[in-house]
């Protein structure tokens, strides 16, 4: 409960300040930006783990690493950071959480300031959802997503080697990031609305294809690495994990995608980054639906690219008229997203 109160208080305060335009100017060097950064890093470091999934898992893995044990599926970055944290303060896992939070939040803040036309409102959207997912729960994915999104600068500037280097660093934090190398071959200046919209019906077609037992057997037979096969089996195991491809979560995202697609011409003419982030959002939905037979993989890849929501939702300010009305809509969306996360998702577990 402490986590919810703190996040809601921060979100409310940030929402209030975001109505004043002077916070948008010189944001990267403003005292409020620094204060917000420090506050979020400290909160992520010393969060209450009693209601958070994965918290006990990370503390257990930390103690395993620093006491000479290892886990085959944990990225080498976790091992190195755990050992570094142990050198800084012996057997203190809070240092590990600090290192992850510092890197992830710093890089995400830099990406928001660079790519978003309304950085403060991007912070509001980020805090309502993805701060919870990435910095409180999926900390390895949090750093990886931060690096993936900052790497998009090199897609726009067509610098493959720099893009490759940053994606390699992201893969160092989470293995799934390597697939985002393929995004480099998208020309961000020639994205058509039809490509974005057509990905949705195609996602349901591939969902049926990938759920076929024949496809699954063929896929396993051609993969040469036993470890990768084992990981794929884990990803495809049903257990307590499943994806409802017609549930509220994904249908609401499709509605958001269609809404922005309707205003595509107006927004793409004024904002160079908008088409690319809308395409990423569509690809994220595609992954989530098409890979529903592999729920862990579908959620991981889908959520990673749907992080583009942080940059897209503030564009509502350009669509709706009225200074306060347009900004209120962005804040309301964020507050509803936060309440949905707390009340209707498995982000938290209560005793």
């Amino acid at each position: 409960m402490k986590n919810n109160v703190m996040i809601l208080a921060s979100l409310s305060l940030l929402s209030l300040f975001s109505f004043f335009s002077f916070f948008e100017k010189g944001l990267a060097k403003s005292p409020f930006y620094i204060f917000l950064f420090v506050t979020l890093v400290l909160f992520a470091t010393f969060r209450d783990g009693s209601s958070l999934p994965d918290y006990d898992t990370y503390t257990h893995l930390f103690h395993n690493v620093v006491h000479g044990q290892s886990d085959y599926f944990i990225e080498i970055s976790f091992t190195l950071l755990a050992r570094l944290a142990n050198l800084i303060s012996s057997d203190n896992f809070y240092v590990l959480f600090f290192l992850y939070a510092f890197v992830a939040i710093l890089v995400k803040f830099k990406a928001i300031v660079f790519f978003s036309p309304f950085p403060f409102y991007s912070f509001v959207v980020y805090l309502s959802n993805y701060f919870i997912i990435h910095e409180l729960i999926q900390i390895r994915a949090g750093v990886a997503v931060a690096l993936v999104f900052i790497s998009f600068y090199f897609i726009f500037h067509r610098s493959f080697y720099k893009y490759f280097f940053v994606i390699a660093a992201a893969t160092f934090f989470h293995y799934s990031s390597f697939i985002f190398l393929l995004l480099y071959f998208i020309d961000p200046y020639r994205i058509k609305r039809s490509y974005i919209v057509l990905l949705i019906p195609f996602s349901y077609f591939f969902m049926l294809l990938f759920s076929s037992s024949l496809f699954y057997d063929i896929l396993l037979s051609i993969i040469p690495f036993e470890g990768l096969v084992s990981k794929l089996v884990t990803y495809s195991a049903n257990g307590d994990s499943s994806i409802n491809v017609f549930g509220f979560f994904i249908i609401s995202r499709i509605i958001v995608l269609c809404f922005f697609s309707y205003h595509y011409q107006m927004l793409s003419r004024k904002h160079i980054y908008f088409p690319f982030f809308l395409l990423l959002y569509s690809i994220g939905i595609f992954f989530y639906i098409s890979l529903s037979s592999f729920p862990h993989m579908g959620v991981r890849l889908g959520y990673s690219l749907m992080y583009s929501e942080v940059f897209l939702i503030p564009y509502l300010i350009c669509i709706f008229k009225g200074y306060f009305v347009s900004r209120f809509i962005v804040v309301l969306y964020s507050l509803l997203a936060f309440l949905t996360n707390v009340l209707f998702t498995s982000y938290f577990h209560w005793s």
Side-chain angles (χ1 to χ4, degrees):
M1 183 60 79
K2 294 179 182 178
N3 291 324
N4 295 337
V5 173
M6 288 293 294
I7 296 173
L8 183 59
S10 301
L11 181 60
S12 300
L13 184 63
L14 188 58
S15 300
L16 177 64
F17 283 134
S18 67
F19 282 98
F20 300 95
S21 60
F22 59 83
F23 278 103
E24 294 288 340
K25 300 176 182 178
L27 180 62
K29 299 179 180 179
S30 70
F32 191 83
Y33 170 92
I34 298 171
F35 172 77
L36 178 62
F37 170 76
V38 172
T39 300
L40 293 183
V41 170
L42 292 178
F43 178 72
T45 300
F46 299 106
R47 60 191 181 273
D48 177 17
S50 62
S51 61
L52 291 170
D54 291 353
Y55 187 90
D56 291 337
T57 300
Y58 280 122
T59 57
H60 177 73
L61 289 173
F62 169 79
H63 290 302
N64 280 352
V65 169
V66 299
H67 291 103
Q69 300 178 19
S70 62
D71 190 290
Y72 178 76
F73 293 120
I74 290 296
E75 291 80 1
I76 190 173
S77 62
F78 185 90
T79 300
L80 294 178
L81 287 177
R83 290 175 178 172
L84 174 62
N86 192 54
L87 286 175
I88 295 173
S89 180
S90 179
D91 229 20
N92 187 349
F93 58 82
Y94 287 116
V95 178
L96 176 69
F97 289 157
F98 172 81
L99 294 174
Y100 270 98
F102 183 88
V103 175
I105 297 173
L106 177 64
V107 176
K108 284 175 179 172
F109 271 36
K110 292 294 184 182
I112 286 174
V113 170
F114 183 82
F115 286 117
S116 177
F118 305 100
F120 244 82
Y121 296 92
S122 288
F123 290 142
V124 173
V125 178
Y126 164 67
L127 189 57
S128 70
N129 187 11
Y130 294 96
F131 175 75
I132 300 172
I133 301 172
H134 291 157
E135 276 58 79
L136 300 187
I137 302 174
Q138 302 170 359
I139 60 174
R140 292 176 297 134
V143 178
V145 169
L147 292 170
V148 167
F149 271 75
I150 201 70
S151 73
F152 295 149
Y153 172 86
F154 301 114
I155 289 182
F156 280 90
H157 290 79
R158 309 314 296 163
S159 178
F160 176 76
Y161 292 109
K162 292 179 180 179
Y163 180 74
F164 176 85
F165 176 80
V166 180
I167 293 297
T171 305
F172 185 68
F173 282 93
H174 204 283
Y175 293 138
S176 63
S177 301
F178 81 93
I179 196 172
F180 299 130
L181 271 176
L182 298 175
L183 295 176
Y184 183 82
F185 300 101
I186 297 173
D187 186 341
Y189 302 104
R190 295 185 179 181
I191 297 173
K192 295 183 179 180
R193 175 165 50 184
S194 57
Y195 300 160
I196 296 171
V197 176
L198 284 175
L199 277 175
I200 304 307
F202 274 115
S203 67
Y204 284 97
F205 168 77
F206 280 100
M207 175 198 69
L208 296 175
L209 176 64
F210 293 158
S211 62
S212 165
S213 59
L214 177 61
F215 171 83
Y216 184 72
D217 292 339
I218 293 174
L219 185 63
L220 292 181
S221 67
I222 62 177
I223 296 178
F225 304 108
E226 182 179 349
L228 188 56
V229 171
S230 176
K231 191 73 170 177
L232 189 61
V233 170
T234 301
Y235 278 144
S236 62
N238 290 325
D240 296 328
S241 301
S242 62
I243 290 179
N244 182 357
V245 297
F246 297 104
F248 172 78
F249 171 82
I250 197 61
I251 295 300
S252 64
R253 266 57 185 182
I254 292 174
I255 292 173
V256 169
L257 178 72
C258 292
F259 179 81
F260 280 112
S261 295
Y262 178 79
H263 295 279
Y264 181 86
Q265 294 298 335
M266 182 267 289
L267 292 173
S268 61
R269 285 197 300 266
K270 296 180 179 180
H271 303 281
I272 190 173
Y273 301 121
F274 171 77
F276 183 72
F277 283 116
L278 190 62
L279 178 61
L280 292 182
Y281 197 64
S282 184
I283 297 173
I285 295 173
F286 174 86
F287 278 140
Y288 188 89
I289 296 173
S290 64
L291 296 175
S292 58
S293 297
F294 307 89
H296 292 284
M297 186 184 300
V299 168
R300 184 75 67 195
L301 296 178
Y303 265 57
S304 294
L305 292 186
M306 281 188 277
Y307 177 77
S308 55
E309 184 178 80
V310 168
F311 304 92
L312 289 174
I313 296 301
Y315 282 110
L316 292 172
I317 294 172
C318 302
I319 297 174
F320 292 97
K321 296 181 179 180
Y323 181 90
F324 289 104
V325 172
S326 61
R327 284 155 175 78
F328 175 76
I329 291 173
V330 175
V331 171
L332 180 62
Y333 178 95
S334 302
L335 290 173
L336 290 175
F338 173 76
L339 292 176
T340 301
N341 293 336
V342 172
L343 299 176
F344 302 108
T345 71
S346 59
Y347 290 170
F348 304 97
H349 52 78
W350 313 109
S351 56

